[in-house]
Amino acid sequence: MAIDTLSLSRQFPRWRLRWERLRGNILLVVVMAVLLAMIVIPIGRLLINSFLEGHPALPEGWTLQNYTTAFGMPLFYQALATTLVLATIGTAITVVIAVLFAWLIERTDMPCRNLAWALILIPMAIPGVLFALGWALLLSPKTGAMNVFLRDVFALFGVEITEGPINIYSIGGLIFLDGLRGVTTVFLMVVGAFRMMDPSLEEAARVSKAGTVATFFRVTLPALSPAILAAAMYSFISSMESFEAPLAIGLPANIFVLSTLIYFTTRIQAPLDYGLAAVFGVSYMILMVFLLIWYRRAVRNSERFATVSGKGFRPRIVSIGQWRYPALALFVVYFLFAVAAPFCVLLWTSLLPGYRVPSIDAIRLITLDNYREIFATDRVFEVIWNTLVLMVVAATATMVLAFLASWIIVRAPVRGRGLLDGLMFVPHAIPGIVIALALIMAFLTPPLRYTGLYGTMGILVIGLVIAYISFGTRLMNSAIMQVHKELEQAAYVSGASTAKTLFFITLPLLFPAFAAGWIWVAVHALRAFSIPLMLSSKNNEVFAVLLWEFWENGTASLASGLGVLLIIALIPLSLLMRRFIVQVSGQQG
Amino acid sequence: MEVEVRGLTKTFATSQGHVTALEKLSFDIRPGEFYTLLGPSGCGKSTTLRCIAGLERPDGGEIVLGGRTVVGPGVWMAPNERPIGMVFQSYAIWPHMTVFRNVEFPLRQTRSWVNKTERRKRVMEALSLVQMAEFADRPAPFLSGGQQQRVALARALVSRPEVLLLDEPLSNLDAKLREELRIEIKELTSRLGITAIYVTHDQIEALAMSDRIAVMHRGANPSGRFAERYLPAAGEQLCRRLRRTGERLRGYCWA
């Protein structure tokens, strides 16, 4: 056999075959090069810059100073500790609420369950920054609407205070926001498990004389623990990356997490220190990569012990008797806190000339002037246009690249596709703020400086494409695997080239998945905040950034008006997205 | 068109190392001949066909179609450049197109532009060859298995290829339909005078249709080997068994 192989390679020179293969697949080579460049160059730049002194565009030489400074900074360790504490406690709260509602809505006779199912999805349509701003208006210590209300109640009992009682600008406030924020995602990740669980497990517990509560804690929860654990880890990772609430609530109170520390170092403090920020970015990224590897392993292991089968069981409804209405009340309270209260306070503020505590007197002042003012500024139309362009271009670019990448991973007869598969997973582990930081550095230095994309819409599009390409590729991978190989081969033998086959046969066949991914990216691009903010300049402002600018300039009513408009645009889009994604893959948006 | 296969060798990389699927396989097919590769699954007959189509790249040897080398030392012609038509086991009818669009597709890929009326004429011609003309505007998913296979045949023939490759085209159909289509395919290819290479594991099918049969056999070696080189005895035995089934042997057993 060995001799045969030798003689064969003499017969077909290797380099020659390789060259011919390349020549026939120029499209694939270009795609792989683009993807590689898109991910490797910024990360490489980030690493290099962590060893450089001075501004990235004008480096002053190699140094380890950045590392010694960073690791000698108490603030860095404080931020790290805050990030971990916030993520841990926040995730615990999220998981308890989400699991409880998944069980109540899916498996008990709580009233209005179908309505609750629909309502629990609504937080998806509220960008994190608006959620935080809403609560800042509700619970700021002096003028927060809810604080004023609480003080009035206390006054009835003769307790007079002038401030508080609750201060949102605190670590407690951050934990509260983080805990509420992730409920929808975790709910969607565990609710399927509740539905698919074999009811005979619980029936066996009941006939063994266990009560409802004992059955829930002794049988239902342990049986579902793999799914719950996976969801909890996912939620922990998202909390580690959260930026919006720590920016709006944490920074004014001098509470730093890793993401806001990077933002502060590169956008606020004087002088800006890119080298230091690069060190923070590298540490942050390494931490997240380890967390994600740990998550992937855990999920893979938990699949081995799956108690949840794919069989379609009719879920057994548990009667919770007199607890039905308290359960519903609990859900109503959650909905008030997660959606109704922050949205209403934004709406209220947007209808008044300036922020006022809600009262009967103030109703007389209600006006649409803020909206008029918003649309009277020229910049607004430019910003709306930018936002739409960003949505459409980022969604299209992400999905086209993801489609081609997946096709190479699943189908193409080229080496290195395993590498590509691994590479497409990397951006998933990088927080948006670090992507943005790496892009700033990459586009301030050669070779990418010559593209002139710094400070334009182009760099924003690239940032969002990197942020969302992991999701797109995962979606496209499973879709392409479902397209029978022979359908493509039939096109080749009919005389079609690879490019024509991809365009006329493969793409139309998986169009539903492509469209679902497109909408997913578009929705996320519309509410994206950290990347557009980090990369923003005069010419590439988008809606969320303008909103933040209004807020920072103290015009809360204009910011609220923009926020209300954004939420109204996002509600139908989010629901549409969820319907598409569920149809295509059963994956959770 | 004459088909020559010379010293064709193909190995597959698996997790357990390399598996030789074809080793130095050679045969010739005369123009207009109906040539069948017969053998059990895993003997390499589909691999041979896919090498001729260009869907697999052999590790050695050469394939010559009508005097033109399509694959050989330093030569590689992509499947879309070869003068072939192919019918797949799974039909591979594109579900997002109508019957007409499916059959029209190869005509849209040709280098020399075929205009619309000409395209329509040739598609309808191909469809009437397989008696599917009245289904032209039907979406592909609304066809039965037998109808899909007829469309696949029309699609393979519409660009008037010189070599028709058929990869177990009848194995997903029920017995009655198989018999019907068997006769149709045979008649069609002899009427058009096209060279056909047919892959099957069904002896009856091979005997009923072929001008010539090549028996491929899996040897003691786990890889498939061509009867010619390793197993003349086994080949003859198989031919005797074929004769016993009572069908008349057209052509002769080539072993």
Side-chain angles (χ1 to χ4, degrees):
Chain A
M1 192 72 91
I3 297 165
D4 279 5
T5 324
L6 265 179
S7 65
L8 286 178
S9 53
R10 212 175 300 133
Q11 201 177 357
F12 280 12
R14 275 260 157 88
W15 65 267
R16 176 107 203 203
L17 275 182
R18 258 195 217 147
W19 164 242
E20 299 227 337
R21 199 167 290 191
L22 279 183
R23 209 186 48 181
N25 294 306
I26 286 175
L27 176 78
L28 304 187
V29 176
V30 170
V31 169
M32 278 181 92
V34 166
L35 291 168
L36 258 169
M38 227 173 58
I39 295 166
V40 173
I41 294 182
I43 293 179
R45 255 299 146 195
L46 187 69
L47 280 171
I48 292 172
N49 268 81
S50 69
F51 293 105
L52 282 180
E53 247 174 319
H55 190 267
L58 310 156
E60 290 156 18
W62 300 97
T63 176
L64 281 174
Q65 186 64 39
N66 296 324
Y67 280 89
T68 48
T69 313
F71 294 138
M73 253 171 88
L75 186 61
F76 174 61
Y77 296 105
Q78 262 172 34
L80 182 63
T82 313
T83 312
L84 289 168
V85 166
L86 190 65
T88 312
I89 305 179
T91 299
I93 296 172
T94 303
V95 170
V96 168
I97 299 176
V99 168
L100 184 64
F101 284 146
W103 181 68
L104 285 174
I105 291 176
E106 200 55 53
R107 302 296 304 278
T108 70
D109 56 353
M110 185 180 96
C112 308
R113 279 154 52 222
N114 290 334
L115 182 65
W117 226 123
L119 290 182
I120 207 162
L121 298 177
I122 301 226
M124 282 195 305
I126 302 182
V129 63
L130 284 173
F131 184 64
L133 296 189
W135 276 102
L137 291 172
L138 282 168
L139 279 180
S140 77
K142 279 194 183 130
T143 57
M146 207 177 264
N147 269 333
V148 172
F149 173 74
L150 284 173
R151 284 204 293 269
D152 288 349
V153 173
F154 285 176
L156 292 179
F157 296 99
V159 185
E160 295 283 348
I161 39 176
T162 52
E163 207 175 280
I166 302 169
N167 181 5
I168 191 77
Y169 296 105
S170 63
I171 184 84
L174 278 177
I175 291 173
F176 167 73
L177 292 183
D178 189 71
L180 276 186
R181 187 69 200 146
V183 169
T184 305
T185 316
V186 175
F187 173 85
L188 289 173
M189 286 178 85
V190 298
V191 74
F194 271 95
R195 181 178 300 170
M196 303 294 252
M197 185 185 160
D198 184 351
S200 60
L201 293 177
E202 285 168 323
E203 281 157 6
R206 295 309 296 272
V207 296
S208 311
K209 314 269 186 300
T212 309
V213 177
T215 306
F216 178 77
F217 281 106
R218 294 275 173 77
V219 176
T220 313
L221 270 191
L224 296 177
S225 59
I228 294 172
L229 208 66
M233 283 185 336
Y234 184 86
S235 163
F236 182 78
I237 290 171
S238 326
S239 297
M240 290 281 298
E241 295 184 4
S242 81
F243 171 70
E244 287 138 320
L247 177 70
I249 302 296
L251 272 193
N254 263 328
I255 300 168
F256 285 93
V257 296
L258 286 175
S259 56
T260 47
L261 187 61
I262 292 173
Y263 179 76
F264 185 78
T265 322
T266 52
R267 300 286 298 211
I268 298 180
Q269 77 170 20
L272 304 179
D273 192 338
Y274 282 94
L276 195 60
V279 176
F280 295 149
V282 169
S283 326
Y284 195 7
M285 189 172 71
I286 291 172
L287 180 66
M288 295 317 291
V289 167
F290 277 116
L291 277 176
L292 231 90
I293 291 173
W294 171 63
Y295 168 72
R296 291 247 292 199
R297 271 220 190 119
V299 168
R300 214 171 292 152
N301 286 340
S302 75
E303 274 164 4
R304 254 183 261 153
F305 299 99
T307 45
V308 181
S309 65
K311 275 191 223 161
F313 294 110
R314 178 185 294 273
R316 201 176 62 96
I317 298 296
V318 182
S319 177
I320 48 172
Q322 81 236 40
W323 291 102
R324 292 172 68 214
Y325 288 96
L328 182 63
L330 196 66
F331 180 80
V332 170
V333 169
Y334 162 75
F335 185 75
L336 272 178
F337 279 12
V339 178
F343 179 75
C344 288
V345 81
L346 286 173
L347 186 64
W348 170 260
T349 311
S350 76
L351 293 173
L352 290 179
Y355 173 73
R356 261 161 209 268
V357 177
S359 63
I360 308 287
D361 294 341
I363 289 180
R364 282 181 298 113
L365 296 171
I366 282 182
T367 157
L368 285 174
D369 281 350
N370 288 320
Y371 291 95
R372 266 182 223 121
E373 196 180 330
I374 287 172
F375 286 108
T377 42
D378 297 337
R379 215 167 57 158
V380 150
F381 292 101
E382 194 191 318
V383 164
I384 290 174
W385 172 249
N386 281 350
T387 311
L388 290 178
V389 167
L390 182 68
M391 263 173 80
V392 172
V393 177
T396 310
T398 306
M399 289 318 291
V400 167
L401 276 175
F403 166 65
L404 294 171
S406 292
W407 190 82
I408 294 174
I409 291 167
V410 178
R411 284 286 153 79
V414 280
R415 251 186 241 176
R417 52 196 208 163
L419 182 80
L420 189 64
D421 196 19
L423 189 72
M424 299 316 287
F425 163 75
V426 170
H428 190 45
I430 312 177
I433 205 89
V434 179
I435 293 177
L437 179 67
L439 282 178
I440 290 175
M441 291 170 175
F443 279 93
L444 279 175
T445 52
L448 294 182
R449 192 172 65 189
Y450 307 120
T451 58
L453 283 178
Y454 186 79
T456 64
M457 290 299 292
I459 194 171
L460 268 191
V461 168
I462 294 173
L464 292 191
V465 169
I466 296 175
Y468 302 137
I469 196 141
S470 295
F471 175 83
T473 315
R474 220 164 23 135
L475 193 72
M476 288 284 101
N477 272 350
S478 58
I480 290 184
M481 274 184 236
Q482 284 163 19
V483 174
H484 199 300
K485 260 188 196 173
E486 289 190 348
L487 290 171
E488 287 175 5
Q489 291 173 347
Y492 298 141
V493 297
S494 298
S497 59
T498 307
K500 275 190 165 177
T501 304
L502 281 178
F503 190 74
F504 288 113
I505 305 295
T506 316
L507 190 57
L509 283 175
L510 45 78
F511 190 74
F514 187 90
W518 196 94
I519 294 179
W520 187 93
V521 177
V523 169
H524 282 74
L526 180 54
R527 67 182 187 204
F529 183 66
S530 61
I531 293 178
L533 185 66
M534 272 292 271
L535 297 174
S536 70
S537 71
K538 255 191 198 156
N539 304 317
N540 64 358
E541 261 187 334
V542 296
F543 215 74
V545 173
L546 181 67
L547 188 156
W548 177 247
E549 215 171 82
F550 279 143
W551 175 265
E552 286 228 291
N553 293 340
T555 43
S557 21
L558 292 182
S560 303
L562 277 184
V564 169
L565 293 175
L566 188 56
I567 292 172
I568 289 172
L570 271 165
I571 286 177
L573 276 174
S574 305
L575 296 181
L576 189 72
M577 162 189 96
R578 178 153 167 77
R579 167 166 288 185
F580 261 83
I581 294 274
V582 166
Q583 241 173 27
V584 165
S585 66
Q587 290 198 48
Q588 309 305 347
Chain B
M1 186 177 273
E2 194 174 12
V3 179
E4 295 165 57
V5 175
R6 297 263 158 271
L8 195 66
T9 301
K10 172 80 190 168
T11 55
F12 289 106
T14 66
S15 49
Q16 278 93 44
H18 289 266
V19 176
T20 308
L22 299 171
E23 199 171 321
K24 299 194 177 132
L25 172 68
S26 301
F27 57 87
D28 287 319
I29 301 169
R30 291 187 284 269
E33 191 172 29
F34 198 109
Y35 189 87
T36 297
L37 296 167
L38 173 65
S41 58
C43 73
K45 55 191 191 311
S46 277
T47 309
T48 311
L49 196 73
R50 293 166 59 81
C51 283
I52 298 173
L55 297 173
E56 301 278 356
R57 192 186 285 266
D59 300 305
E62 59 179 343
I63 296 172
V64 183
L65 297 182
R68 179 145 185 222
T69 306
V70 292
V71 58
V75 180
W76 170 253
M77 197 189 266
N80 48 323
E81 292 158 357
R82 300 187 184 190
I84 51 166
M86 186 163 176
V87 179
F88 293 85
Q89 183 174 8
S90 67
Y91 323 133
I93 293 299
W94 300 305
H96 60 297
M97 301 177 179
T98 61
V99 167
F100 184 87
R101 290 270 166 195
N102 261 282
V103 178
E104 189 193 24
F105 188 83
L107 293 180
R108 286 174 169 269
Q109 312 303 328
T110 48
R111 285 263 161 78
S112 50
W113 176 249
V114 187
N115 72 28
K116 207 175 167 192
T117 47
E118 172 72 8
R119 276 209 307 266
R120 176 147 201 102
K121 205 184 104 216
R122 282 175 60 178
V123 170
M124 292 319 287
E125 243 174 55
L127 281 175
S128 26
L129 275 181
V130 295
Q131 293 147 42
M132 287 291 293
E134 71 261 43
F135 294 99
D137 294 320
R138 190 174 284 203
F142 297 101
L143 295 177
S144 69
Q147 288 169 332
Q148 286 192 44
Q149 199 53 289
R150 283 165 202 262
V151 174
L153 198 58
R155 185 178 63 189
L157 291 171
V158 73
S159 58
R160 296 175 188 157
E162 314 240 16
V163 180
L164 179 65
L165 308 173
L166 302 117
D167 187 5
E168 308 216 18
L170 304 182
S171 62
N172 284 344
L173 302 176
D174 62 63
K176 193 165 167 291
L177 208 58
R178 211 154 33 192
E179 220 161 289
E180 224 176 274
L181 268 170
R182 195 149 83 193
I183 298 163
E184 259 179 57
I185 291 176
K186 172 66 188 160
E187 276 179 5
L188 201 58
T189 52
S190 47
R191 183 142 52 96
L192 298 173
I194 196 171
T195 310
I197 310 178
Y198 192 93
V199 161
T200 183
H201 60 265
D202 186 332
Q203 304 165 8
I204 317 257
E205 221 169 87
L207 288 164
M209 302 171 81
S210 321
D211 298 324
R212 207 146 57 104
I213 301 172
V215 180
M216 290 178 80
H217 200 283
R218 180 199 280 258
N221 191 302
S223 62
R225 294 288 160 83
F226 202 59
E228 173 203 39
R229 190 163 157 229
Y230 284 98
L231 298 150
E236 265 165 32
Q237 207 182 359
L238 186 53
C239 287
R240 270 205 298 283
R241 220 164 63 220
L242 292 182
R243 285 195 198 96
R244 274 208 302 279
T245 58
E247 293 245 352
R248 197 170 64 86
L249 191 67
R250 273 173 218 258
Y252 59 94
C253 188
W254 191 82

